[in-house]
Amino acid sequence: IPLVRQASLLAVSGLCLVTWLTRWRQYTRQIVREERNEEARGAPTISDLPPPPRSPKLNIDPNHRIRLPLIEHLCPLCQQQRINPAALPSGFVFCNKCIVFYIRQHKSCPLTSREFSEKDIVRIYEPQGRE
């Protein structure tokens, strides 16, 4: 009797597996059909997306040394007026975009060479109209 019970459990399990595989195949076919319909309707595709923005032009010499700007409100990396200022724990302030890009590349402060990560960057909110 145990052999008959094992055989019936195996048959039920096999039937469940076949049913699940059939439904999974139907589901994936439905998704493929929906994607094709969206493409046919003119829905945006990956090739329609605009290219990513260019990396900021940084003011770095080949030895990775940064020159501090003479004007206090300029970013040491791009030498332009700071946009969306952000600071590192080392105390230096940069454009947010510039310092994020630099930290991703070098994982250190561009002026002190202390190691930092993106989570160490602190956004600063300056009053409008600051020159």
Side-chain angles (χ1 to χ4, degrees):
I1 293 182
L3 186 60
V4 173
R5 186 170 184 193
Q6 288 178 353
S8 64
L9 285 175
L10 186 61
V12 170
S13 298
L15 183 60
C16 288
L17 179 63
V18 169
T19 304
W20 182 82
L21 288 173
T22 304
R23 288 184 181 168
W24 176 255
R25 187 173 181 203
Q26 290 171 347
Y27 172 74
T28 55
R29 284 183 174 176
Q30 177 185 352
I31 289 185
V32 169
R33 267 188 254 119
E34 289 173 1
E35 288 175 353
R36 287 182 184 156
N37 288 339
E38 286 178 7
E39 288 175 5
R41 283 193 307 244
T45 61
I46 291 178
S47 61
D48 296 333
L49 296 175
R54 288 204 257 173
S55 301
K57 185 175 179 351
L58 303 180
N59 181 37
I60 304 172
D61 72 12
N63 298 325
H64 299 290
R65 283 180 272 181
I66 306 299
R67 296 177 292 279
L68 279 173
L70 297 175
I71 301 172
E72 171 182 320
H73 299 293
L74 297 182
C75 171
L77 293 170
C78 66
Q79 298 289 316
Q80 302 293 319
Q81 182 76 25
R82 285 191 307 250
I83 299 173
N84 299 324
L88 288 176
S90 61
F92 292 99
V93 182
F94 311 88
C95 296
N96 186 58
K97 186 176 178 181
C98 293
I99 194 58
V100 167
F101 178 74
Y102 189 91
I103 291 290
R104 284 180 182 167
Q105 296 290 318
H106 302 283
K107 300 190 182 345
S108 65
C109 174
L111 297 166
T112 64
S113 298
R114 283 182 50 200
E115 289 189 13
F116 292 112
S117 67
E118 275 187 72
K119 67 179 181 181
D120 296 316
I121 299 171
V122 178
R123 293 286 308 272
I124 298 173
Y125 298 94
E126 295 180 321
Q128 292 293 329
R130 188 170 182 182
E131 294 185 48

